[in-house]
Amino acid sequence: MCSSTTTSENNDLLVQSSDPNHPANLIPALCAKFWTLGWVTGTGGGASIRSDDLVYLAPSGVQKELMKPDDIYVLSLAAQAQSLDKRQRVYLRSPANYKPSQCTPLFLAAFTKRNAGCCIHTHSHWAVLVTLILETQGAGKDKEFLINNIEQIKGFGKGFGKSGNLGYHDTLKIPVIENTAHEEDLTEFLEEAMDKYPDTYAVLVRRHGVYVWGENVHKAKTMCESLDYLFQLAVEMKQLGLPWVTDIEPTVPTRK
Amino acid sequence: MCSSTTTSENNDLLVQSSDPNHPANLIPALCAKFWTLGWVTGTGGGASIRSDDLVYLAPSGVQKELMKPDDIYVLSLAAQAQSLDKRQRVYLRSPANYKPSQCTPLFLAAFTKRNAGCCIHTHSHWAVLVTLILETQGAGKDKEFLINNIEQIKGFGKGFGKSGNLGYHDTLKIPVIENTAHEEDLTEFLEEAMDKYPDTYAVLVRRHGVYVWGENVHKAKTMCESLDYLFQLAVEMKQLGLPWVTDIEPTVPTRK
Amino acid sequence: MCSSTTTSENNDLLVQSSDPNHPANLIPALCAKFWTLGWVTGTGGGASIRSDDLVYLAPSGVQKELMKPDDIYVLSLAAQAQSLDKRQRVYLRSPANYKPSQCTPLFLAAFTKRNAGCCIHTHSHWAVLVTLILETQGAGKDKEFLINNIEQIKGFGKGFGKSGNLGYHDTLKIPVIENTAHEEDLTEFLEEAMDKYPDTYAVLVRRHGVYVWGENVHKAKTMCESLDYLFQLAVEMKQLGLPWVTDIEPTVPTRK
Amino acid sequence: MCSSTTTSENNDLLVQSSDPNHPANLIPALCAKFWTLGWVTGTGGGASIRSDDLVYLAPSGVQKELMKPDDIYVLSLAAQAQSLDKRQRVYLRSPANYKPSQCTPLFLAAFTKRNAGCCIHTHSHWAVLVTLILETQGAGKDKEFLINNIEQIKGFGKGFGKSGNLGYHDTLKIPVIENTAHEEDLTEFLEEAMDKYPDTYAVLVRRHGVYVWGENVHKAKTMCESLDYLFQLAVEMKQLGLPWVTDIEPTVPTRK
């Protein structure tokens, strides 16, 4: 378990803003929206936003559609980096009566290893079902979700530091890691997956859900939506006996 | 049938408060939310909250998304305990033009036998489908819903008077009781299930729905959400031919 | 085709009220809610309310979630009964720029033959799927939807002029009529079904939807919800290979 | 890729109106509604409205439920027709910080070839699933979606320049075109389908979604709803083994 401290100057001003796009306002608004999508049922899942050095985090065990700006933790990446004990969290601001989320080190991995501006974690049952279907494919085929020739794939960027998005005929590849008994123990495997799949913006967690990140809130949120759309489609394709990956000859226009 | 009386001082003040978290305000708000989830369709299902000695109850046959604080019954557990006829209800406050809900003795069982602070009853069709699927498993296998190795299981407490939650690899076990012609007759079987499964926070009712309780509104509501999530997942797993219980070797991190 | 006239005193006051429960306000509110349930997609379906002699009707072809009180037709049952041509409608109030709904004679059948206070017509795809599944059962079995031993059945009244509701073990029986090319031509067959099934509160229309009525708005709306719940459950049971009608021994409590 | 210019007088007044039915207000309101239906997930899909010579268009890559009137492009059909380079767009008004949508030439095809007043593009997964199911039917049967004897079919007009709607027994026929790597390249094939199916109000795009248009917003939106209803029904019928096209003898009333 991680321990945590808050610096003496527990600055509530860090979560007070009249700007609806301030991270302390945006995280509750996003989580309320995600609750209606079934992504953060029963306090599961969550979202974190990074603004330069500051990371805004939802607490553990809160009802996601009822969250308020006052519930948000704020952490400094620089202060965290200087901490001697990497598992010790130093919060610039902590809400009363809450514990930090066990998702915290996973969100930090996206921010530090990928320079992400936002990371979303859902328990979407479409994501869980995709990992369950893959589990039955046998060793070697159960560690990657692959899908191609679906328009919505164009919603994904080509990868970290690359410009442009995937094309219709490209194969979207999302790695799957095994779930661990303690969520924070996933961090090691999430980081390994990031190293092995340097271009991915998401990692599926078997029987658990998915982590999705992006350079900013817009990109993380829209890629998370596109991915959930593809997971739902994939489950429905499976029910109809349709394959996720096919070989399709490109259709080329005659006049240009 | 239970009979009921209301004491002379029919105190409407018991259901009047400007605090949105007052039980008389919270029950209508929760029920409206549950209506959008399909849990309390067609006046079915409901929710009850206990605050110390006072129990707040929705009336029978009301449209759950339209309920108002003025519709709420209030009952004293102490006064009820002193009643000579256990099936006679003594209400401190009764709404005009309504009848008490037949769920009342079932909610009271959760409050008196489990010291619960909130009890929710849904007719969720996922819950009903799970009991129907179990019914086909044959005698001996049809009385318990079992599922393991799904992250959302961690949303459940270890049990009455125990601290901490279930782990990812633990098997969640929810007893199933047979439905009776009259809802109040379920009470005996619900209490039996509570005795036989002292750690459960929920009981499925065959071809009917589920009762879920918790120490407070937050815990009852989030466990009810997690359970509905698992019921939906279980039905979809069944449609895809995937087993609900599996033997999975824990994944252990190498660095710590 | 029916023709229609409006009396000279086209009284807009009939649809102007500050009471949210006035039929001219309630029909738009109900239809907006039904739109979110997928019951009145693409201008299909609708609802009508009777208040004593006056019948309030939505117009043809309006987007149901956008309807306004000003869009409502008002008709007098007494005036209609005195009309020499039964197919000629005499409206006390007509909206500008609209045509009367082809559902009008079907709603009137529920009001005149059953003394209903409200009639709802949905295109719910669960209703349509139930009629399609029945169609494959062969002649003799395709004209009735039967389901028993599901708690939600208790949401239905025992029938026209009878007190009390169906019990858990009772079999709910909903007749199915064949669709006609013109909706108004359904009236004859709807009336036949009412004669043959004097206790029913609903009639399914093959490949089309369902008509549901009740003594008042509350009863029509909650029975319509319960029925849609049962239709959805029936389709899902079919997908899982579970029968709609079963023989279950009642569970009887030992203490009383 | 198309290039685009904006005339010097970049008139923001074109998208400022207090009328909720002004295209610049209506497009964001429609898109927010479509987002809740899952039609425009992850910035996919969109809608365009024509008012006489002016075409109002959503930009590329915007979150559809968050769109604002200020985000809307405005284009003159007449000015566009006079442009020497048909692939060069001349906007009367362009939002800052956005790129034009790649759907633009497809929307323009509906406006210029069909005199449509509104065109909607969805990524509805029901539409995508229908094209995937058709793909398995083999050459010759994979290019048309056919369905008949479903009431909702009556929601479709008989075709461009024709009065009246399809009947219950008519077969609705929606052509399917193959998806292209670049969305703008679909234009040629969409126009071909319009030529081959002069009466259609919609074209399915394989593994991508659907384009639906109508003489005005009301007709385009309600036909899009009816079509999505039919696509969902078709997928569910397929899962239940029910055929989309059947031969049904009309039911004729005896009294008239």
Side-chain angles (χ1 to χ4, degrees), chain C residues 229-246:
Chain C
Y229 170 101
L230 290 168
F231 291 154
Q232 177 175 3
L233 194 67
V235 173
E236 291 165 333
M237 287 171 82
K238 178 73 180 172
Q239 287 173 327
L240 289 160
L242 305 166
W244 295 347
V245 174
T246 48

Side-chain angles (χ1 to χ4, degrees), chain D residues 1-255:
Chain D
M1 288 288 289
C2 290
S3 58
S4 71
T5 60
T6 301
T7 56
S8 53
E9 64 275 41
N10 190 16
N11 198 343
D12 287 345
L13 292 177
L14 286 172
V15 296
Q16 293 165 356
S17 166
S18 59
D19 177 4
N21 286 317
H22 185 281
N25 295 325
L26 202 47
I27 289 176
L30 285 170
C31 283
K33 192 177 280 189
F34 297 164
W35 187 84
T36 69
L37 298 173
W39 289 359
V40 292
T41 296
T43 84
S48 177
I49 296 175
R50 181 183 65 81
S51 177
D52 296 328
D53 178 58
L54 299 183
V55 173
Y56 298 80
L57 297 143
S60 176
V62 71
Q63 291 180 60
K64 292 299 185 293
E65 83 279 22
L66 302 181
M67 212 193 300
K68 291 186 289 290
D70 195 45
D71 301 341
I72 302 290
Y73 283 89
V74 187
L75 178 150
S76 156
L77 284 180
Q80 186 68 41
Q82 289 167 356
S83 169
L84 291 180
D85 177 359
K86 286 178 84 175
R87 298 176 64 83
Q88 165 81 21
R89 309 266 168 262
V90 187
Y91 292 100
L92 301 184
R93 197 266 167 180
S94 295
N97 307 319
Y98 282 114
K99 287 191 299 182
S101 167
Q102 289 218 357
C103 304
T104 303
L106 295 135
F107 290 144
L108 293 182
F111 299 144
T112 55
K113 279 183 80 83
R114 284 292 174 272
N115 201 29
C118 176
C119 187
I120 298 167
H121 171 44
T122 88
H123 284 196
S124 163
H125 65 115
W126 302 117
V128 173
L129 285 168
V130 160
T131 68
L132 287 165
I133 292 169
L134 285 169
E135 196 179 67
T136 66
Q137 309 295 296
K141 291 186 168 177
D142 65 339
K143 301 286 195 195
E144 285 178 350
F145 169 68
L146 302 176
I147 194 163
N148 70 0
N149 295 313
I150 301 289
E151 179 72 8
Q152 198 76 27
I153 289 167
K154 290 160 78 173
F156 290 83
K158 279 191 181 160
F160 181 60
K162 298 182 177 174
S163 68
N165 278 25
L166 292 183
Y168 168 60
H169 296 295
D170 288 336
T171 298
L172 176 71
K173 195 184 289 187
I174 308 289
V176 183
I177 61 174
E178 304 307 315
N179 199 26
T180 53
H182 301 287
E183 190 144 13
E184 59 197 17
D185 289 343
L186 282 174
T187 314
E188 171 184 346
F189 302 103
L190 184 81
E191 291 178 344
E192 267 178 28
M194 284 173 166
D195 289 340
K196 192 170 168 194
Y197 296 83
D199 289 336
T200 195
Y201 285 102
V203 171
L204 278 160
V205 185
R206 181 105 53 216
R207 297 170 167 271
H208 179 156
V210 68
Y211 279 86
V212 185
W213 57 89
E215 291 152 56
N216 51 43
V217 171
H218 174 93
K219 291 190 180 179
K221 187 253 195 187
T222 59
M223 285 199 281
C224 195
E225 279 182 22
S226 290
L227 204 49
D228 204 58
Y229 170 102
L230 290 167
F231 291 154
Q232 177 176 3
L233 194 67
V235 172
E236 293 165 332
M237 288 172 81
K238 178 73 182 172
Q239 286 173 328
L240 289 160
L242 305 165
W244 295 347
V245 174
T246 48
D247 194 14
I248 288 184
E249 191 125 339
T251 299
V252 182
T254 55
R255 21 167 157 133

Side-chain angles (χ1 to χ4, degrees), chain C residues 3-7 74-76 79-80 83 88-92:
Chain C
S3 59
S4 71
T5 60
T6 301
T7 56
V74 187
L75 178 150
S76 156
Q80 186 68 41
S83 170
Q88 165 80 22
R89 309 265 168 261
V90 187
Y91 293 100
L92 302 184

Side-chain angles (χ1 to χ4, degrees), chain B residues 6 9 11 13 27 39-40 46 68 82 96 98 145 162 179 193 225 227 229 233-234 244 249-250:
Chain B
T6 300
E9 61 277 41
N11 199 342
L13 293 176
I27 289 176
W39 290 359
V40 292
K68 290 185 290 290
Q82 288 167 357
Y98 281 114
F145 169 68
K162 298 181 177 175
N179 199 26
E225 280 182 23
L227 203 50
Y229 171 102
L233 193 68
W244 296 346
E249 191 126 339

